[in-house]
Amino acid sequence: SAVVFPKKIATEQQSLMLVKRLLAVAVSCITYLRGIFPESAYGTRYMDDVCVKILREDKNCPGSTQLVKWMLGCYDALQKKYVSPPWLCLQIVTECYHFKFKYTHNGPLLDFSSKDEKSGSTITCADTKKASILLIRKIYVLMQNLSPLPNDVCLTMKLLYYDEVTPPDYQPPGFKEAKDGGLMFNEEPMHLNVGEVPTPFHMLKLKITTEKQRMENVDKKILKQGETAELLQVHGLNRVDPEEESQDM
């Protein structure tokens, strides 16, 4: 059915459901527009007035079925408040899509809107809806402007956890402990803050990192106030966000 925005987000469960749906829409849009899976792996849905493609299990496409299972595992960690930022990565690494979640009992961390907006302002459903629609529209525009991917790309997902609350032996369905030391780019990477969506109980952020030459096709006019496109100082993603420098991969 359509992704319906509630008229009021009064409970943490209502907020969690909306965040799950928004994550599903964002991941589906990225994989669809980057041509990762065939048309048969998607269904058509509507998010307000925006037509979106939603990934589904397709017996003829094992990859889409695997990603759906990863998403369900991500939901499990998200519901338990363990997950920090999951990485949706196109290996070599060519592109990386970083979803970051924050949880709060005292209202959202508001830093996505205009500079005139005061931090700590009450988040309304209208704010959440506007930010959600804007995020999906930005994804559509950016994906259509990035250079085509190589033919031999493969997709993987990484989950990072808040160590202070996550049991040491916890792994959600579909995931196992990672042995590598991080994500590396063969070419010079660039980092783009796409957008953030707040609710009274959660904050979802999306960042994209890709090879610099793939980002050069993006029209700078589509980057609105509050977005940044900057060169990474290192070729690994362990130090993308200063807020996360103390967190282990």
Side-chain angles (χ1 to χ4, degrees), residues 102-206:
K102 292 183 179 181
Y103 316 93
T104 174
H105 293 293
N106 302 315
L109 303 174
L110 178 59
D111 54 3
F112 79 101
S113 55
S114 68
K115 294 182 179 179
D116 294 333
E117 193 81 32
K118 294 182 179 180
S119 179
S121 299
T122 302
I123 295 299
T124 66
C125 281
D127 295 327
T128 300
K129 179 178 179 179
K130 180 179 179 181
S132 300
I133 296 296
L134 183 59
L135 177 68
I136 298 304
R137 285 176 173 166
K138 286 179 181 178
I139 291 175
Y140 267 79
V141 173
L142 287 171
M143 296 301 96
Q144 291 170 346
N145 281 272
L146 291 176
S147 300
L149 289 169
N151 293 327
D152 58 349
V153 296
C154 62
L155 181 145
T156 189
M157 180 179 283
K158 290 176 178 283
L159 295 181
L160 280 73
Y161 307 115
Y162 289 110
D163 293 335
E164 63 272 19
V165 296
T166 307
D169 59 347
Y170 172 78
Q171 291 296 341
F175 289 86
K176 63 181 180 180
E177 184 177 356
K179 301 298 183 182
D180 54 45
L183 307 176
M184 305 295 291
F185 284 82
N186 284 338
E187 304 293 336
E188 192 175 43
M190 286 189 71
H191 173 60
L192 177 67
N193 291 320
V194 180
E196 305 170 5
V197 179
T199 83
F201 301 92
H202 297 88
M203 169 73 81
L204 182 151
K205 299 182 180 183
L206 172 59

Side-chain angles (χ1 to χ4, degrees), residues 21 35 45 56 58 62 72 117 163 173 180 195 201 217 232 241:
R21 289 177 176 175
R45 298 289 185 269
R56 61 188 178 188
D58 179 7
L72 294 177
E117 193 81 32
D163 293 335
D180 54 45
F201 301 92
N217 290 333
L232 284 177
D241 191 335

Side-chain angles (χ1 to χ4, degrees), residues 200-214:
F201 301 92
H202 297 88
M203 169 73 81
L204 182 151
K205 299 182 180 183
L206 172 59
K207 299 180 181 181
I208 295 175
T209 305
T210 186
E211 295 167 345
K212 183 178 180 181
Q213 66 267 26
R214 297 180 184 280

Side-chain angles (χ1 to χ4, degrees), residues 45-60:
R45 298 289 185 269
Y46 287 88
M47 188 173 180
D48 199 48
D49 61 340
V50 179
C51 180
V52 295
K53 294 291 186 177
I54 301 294
L55 191 68
R56 61 188 178 188
E57 292 183 278
D58 179 7
K59 62 181 180 180
N60 296 319

